[in-house]
Amino acid sequence: PIDGSMGGDASCVDEILKEMTQVWPPPLTAIHTPCKTEPSKFPFSTSKDAQHLSFGA
Amino acid sequence: VHSTELPVSAKPDYIAKYTAVISMDQRQLYKDDFNAEYDEYRILHARVESIARRFTQLDTKCRKLAPGTKEYKEVHVQVLQEYKNIKQHSPNYYEEKQRCEYLHNKLAHIKRLIADFDKRKAQSWL
């Protein structure tokens, strides 16, 4: 929008600053994966006794 | 046939294309669309933001200086120089800025629809 051949006059600089200093919102973050319908790990799964758990086998 | 269409409005295309999410499949489709343009958006955003930051710095500097002083004139020369550089190296800067703004609004819209869906889903588990 602004002619590049201008000299150094103040109104041009004001115009440029007005055009170029537009405030930008912070970038959008990515979309995370949806929560699983059940927890992927049971809190006690590290226990050695985990092998004793049966899931309706 | 056109009765449901809004009068010729400035409504962006994505408003009609992306409506409330009602299934996981739809959520995935929307997320794929989001991701397909997300990288382009991030690159554009980083570029445009860094240029805006640079000019904001110069603007702040300018405001602190008394007009007519040597420093004031120097900053003005700098503004003109950097502006010229941008016009030279990125002749499409204006289009890039517009594209960035469009993508920002579009992706924000898609993200909001997905977030609404997730919220409804979370509530339905209670």
Side-chain angles (χ1 to χ4, degrees):
Chain A
I2 296 165
D3 179 16
S5 65
M6 68 272 181
D9 72 284
S11 65
C12 263
V13 172
D14 285 346
E15 285 277 309
I16 292 173
L17 288 175
K18 214 189 285 172
E19 182 195 334
M20 303 301 282
T21 56
Q22 186 190 346
V23 179
W24 282 84
L28 296 168
T29 52
I31 295 175
H32 58 82
T33 34
C35 295
K36 295 275 186 291
T37 48
E38 55 184 1
S40 54
K41 261 186 185 175
F42 289 96
F44 47 81
S45 62
T46 50
S47 156
K48 276 187 176 178
D49 297 332
Q51 55 190 332
H52 298 307
L53 294 168
S54 66
F55 291 97
Chain B
V1 194
H2 299 285
S3 57
T4 55
E5 277 186 31
L6 290 162
V8 193
S9 67
K11 262 199 176 179
D13 57 349
Y14 53 80
I15 298 288
K17 187 175 175 192
Y18 298 97
T19 52
V21 183
I22 50 168
S23 70
M24 285 304 281
D25 286 348
Q26 194 190 357
R27 185 195 193 279
Q28 190 58 46
L29 284 176
Y30 281 24
K31 193 183 164 189
D32 291 346
D33 281 3
F34 179 98
N35 286 339
E37 289 184 314
Y38 188 61
D39 286 345
E40 182 197 353
Y41 161 72
R42 282 306 296 259
I43 290 166
L44 278 178
H45 189 283
R47 258 175 66 76
V48 168
E49 196 185 37
S50 83
I51 288 173
R53 199 182 312 125
R54 176 73 191 128
F55 277 90
T56 305
Q57 279 171 358
L58 290 171
D59 189 38
T60 310
K61 219 165 153 184
C62 232
R63 284 169 198 276
K64 283 184 190 154
L65 298 166
T69 59
K70 193 172 159 239
E71 291 92 338
Y72 185 84
K73 281 178 191 156
E74 276 170 7
V75 177
H76 269 204
V77 171
Q78 222 173 335
V79 169
L80 292 167
Q81 191 56 51
E82 299 212 9
Y83 187 75
K84 222 165 107 180
N85 279 346
I86 289 168
K87 292 280 146 172
Q88 250 167 25
H89 295 111
S90 334
N92 301 322
Y93 176 71
Y94 187 68
E95 285 77 18
E96 282 179 16
K97 214 162 116 171
Q98 282 196 319
R99 172 87 180 140
C100 183
E101 209 172 319
Y102 168 81
L103 283 178
H104 182 92
N105 293 331
K106 176 180 175 180
L107 298 184
H109 175 70
I110 296 175
K111 201 179 163 176
R112 192 160 45 237
L113 293 172
I114 290 181
D116 288 348
F117 172 72
D118 288 349
K119 210 156 69 183
R120 284 198 308 273
K121 211 162 155 49
Q123 279 166 354
S124 70
W125 291 342
L126 294 177

